[in-house]
């Protein structure tokens, strides 16, 4: 199961970064806002990361994914990419990452055996 999750995680990251850096990405989610697209991508990536690396520290996962979101915004500020850098996109990414990690923490705690 971890192998499948790791493959899906890698694929999701490649797709998210590619879509974020395309000058005119295709509209794959219909008429939803940019923030919803960011949050959907990073929520999915966070779930896959937790499934792919179940023993990894949740703080470390959050740190790495938030950094990825910030890095995307930095790259979007490059004029030749023709995208807009928006710190609010990074905040939205980080907010959904934290939200998913809180749910994962609660879920993991409920699964722990009690003695």
């Amino acid at each position: 199961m971890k192998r499948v999750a790791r493959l899906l995680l890698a694929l999701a990251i490649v797709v998210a970064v590619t879509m974020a850096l395309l000058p005119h990405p295709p509209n794959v989610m219909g008429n939803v806002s940019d923030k919803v697209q960011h949050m959907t991508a990073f929520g999915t990536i966070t779930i896959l990361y937790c499934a792919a690396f179940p023993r990894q520290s949740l703080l470390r996962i959050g740190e790495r994914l938030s950094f990825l979101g910030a890095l995307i915004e930095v790259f979007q500020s490059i004029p030749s990419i023709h995208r807009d850098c928006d710190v609010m996109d990074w905040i939205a990414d980080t907010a959904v990452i934290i939200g998913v990690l809180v749910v994962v923490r609660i879920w993991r705690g409920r699964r722990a055996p009690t003695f």
Side-chain angles (χ1 to χ4, degrees), residues 11-104:
L11 182 63
I13 290 172
V14 167
V15 168
V17 170
T18 300
M19 295 293 278
L21 299 180
L22 285 174
H24 303 287
N27 189 356
V28 295
M29 292 183 62
N31 245 359
V32 298
S33 74
D34 181 53
K35 300 292 182 280
V36 171
Q37 292 177 16
H38 272 264
M39 295 175 81
T40 301
F42 275 88
T44 302
I45 289 169
T46 305
I47 291 166
L48 290 171
Y49 202 131
C50 292
F53 300 96
R55 296 184 190 267
Q56 181 78 14
S57 160
L58 296 181
L59 289 174
R60 181 64 53 95
I61 291 171
E63 170 192 54
R64 289 176 177 173
L65 292 181
S66 181
F67 180 75
L68 175 63
L71 196 59
I72 286 171
E73 293 308 314
V74 168
F75 279 114
Q76 285 183 340
S77 72
I78 298 171
S80 62
I81 293 179
H82 303 290
R83 297 294 297 261
D84 294 323
C85 174
D86 184 359
V87 71
M88 295 307 292
D89 287 344
W90 172 69
I91 290 171
D93 298 342
T94 302
V96 77
I97 291 164
I98 291 169
V100 169
L101 292 176
V102 166
V103 171
V104 168

